[in-house]
Amino acid sequence: MTAQALIAPLLPAGVAVAEERGDPPHARLPAQEAAHVARSVPERRGEFTTVRLCARRALAQLGVPAAAILPGPHGAPQWPAGVVGSMTHCRGCRGAALARRCDVAALGIDAEPAEPLADGVLEAIATVGERAQIRRLLHHRPSIAWDRLLCSAKEAVYKSTFPATGVRLGFEDVAITVAEAVVRLQQSGYFGPDGPSHHQSIRGSV
């Protein structure tokens, strides 16, 4: 990692993080992973390769042997036993965050360019209340892509909850309050393996 860390400062102790700003030319995939993207376009192969390079670096920080990291039936990465984790990639950022399951129950990260969403996307992913708060924030500080931040926060929630619960949430199942200094997530009434879970909140600086 040669650039300033973007993801690591947002995560608690016990989470191993590795990041890259681009695709290193030396990065290679083991045979199983290479076969998975053999017919993909070069850009897809590059991001797939680099984000798994990051994941293996994070595994090494945890003292876990390197392993092939293949997508499961719903696209979520399949981690070694006893490990939870999440990966993300976008223009200019690839990263992976992993932890031991005994230390962290679930983990989700997402990175996006600091640019507004395309027309119509906010309406598709946000509740009425979320759209109202984004309009207020954009009026107050239009230089920040609040709509993209909301979308990214929701994606991180989905990445954390599906591996932990097996439940695929829809955009309407998660309500997020975005403030200028804090993102507050509230997930209400979804059903996991142990029944309904009400009012779970996570706070983190942005």
Side-chain angles (χ1 to χ4, degrees):
M1 182 170 57
T2 58
Q4 181 181 4
L6 299 177
I7 300 170
L10 303 175
L11 297 172
V15 177
V17 182
E19 304 174 44
E20 285 284 348
R21 300 284 83 81
D23 297 323
H26 66 273
R28 296 291 183 271
L29 292 172
Q32 286 177 289
E33 293 176 354
H36 186 79
V37 289
R39 298 184 180 181
S40 300
V41 298
E43 181 180 0
R44 168 60 177 157
R45 290 200 302 272
E47 64 190 20
F48 186 95
T49 300
T50 303
V51 80
R52 279 159 175 76
L53 171 68
C54 292
R56 277 184 272 277
R57 288 176 179 168
L59 284 173
Q61 293 176 43
L62 295 176
V64 177
I69 304 165
L70 297 173
H74 298 287
Q78 300 179 90
W79 301 110
V83 172
V84 296
S86 184
M87 300 187 292
T88 188
H89 52 75
C90 67
R91 186 179 71 248
C93 181
R94 286 86 165 90
L98 284 77
R100 293 188 179 276
R101 191 177 297 276
C102 58
D103 297 324
V104 176
L107 185 58
I109 62 171
D110 189 68
E112 292 283 344
E115 301 169 354
L117 294 173
D119 290 345
V121 176
L122 181 64
E123 289 72 20
I125 63 103
T127 65
V128 173
E130 288 170 335
R131 293 197 296 271
Q133 68 169 310
I134 294 301
R135 286 194 296 269
R136 290 193 297 269
L137 289 164
L138 286 172
H139 177 76
H140 182 56
R141 295 189 67 182
S143 62
I144 297 177
W146 297 105
D147 54 351
R148 179 81 68 164
L149 176 60
L150 174 72
C151 182
S152 186
K154 286 203 171 195
E155 184 65 24
V157 174
Y158 305 143
K159 289 180 179 180
S160 67
T161 55
F162 177 71
T165 68
V167 176
R168 300 187 71 182
L169 300 176
F171 285 112
E172 70 283 356
D173 295 324
V174 174
I176 292 178
T177 301
V178 182
E180 289 193 45
V182 175
V183 172
R184 187 174 193 277
L185 174 155
Q186 186 173 64
Q187 178 185 322
S188 300
Y190 82 88
F191 283 79
D194 300 317
S197 174
H198 300 286
H199 307 302
Q200 298 184 4
S201 296
I202 300 171
R203 296 176 67 92
S205 59
V206 297

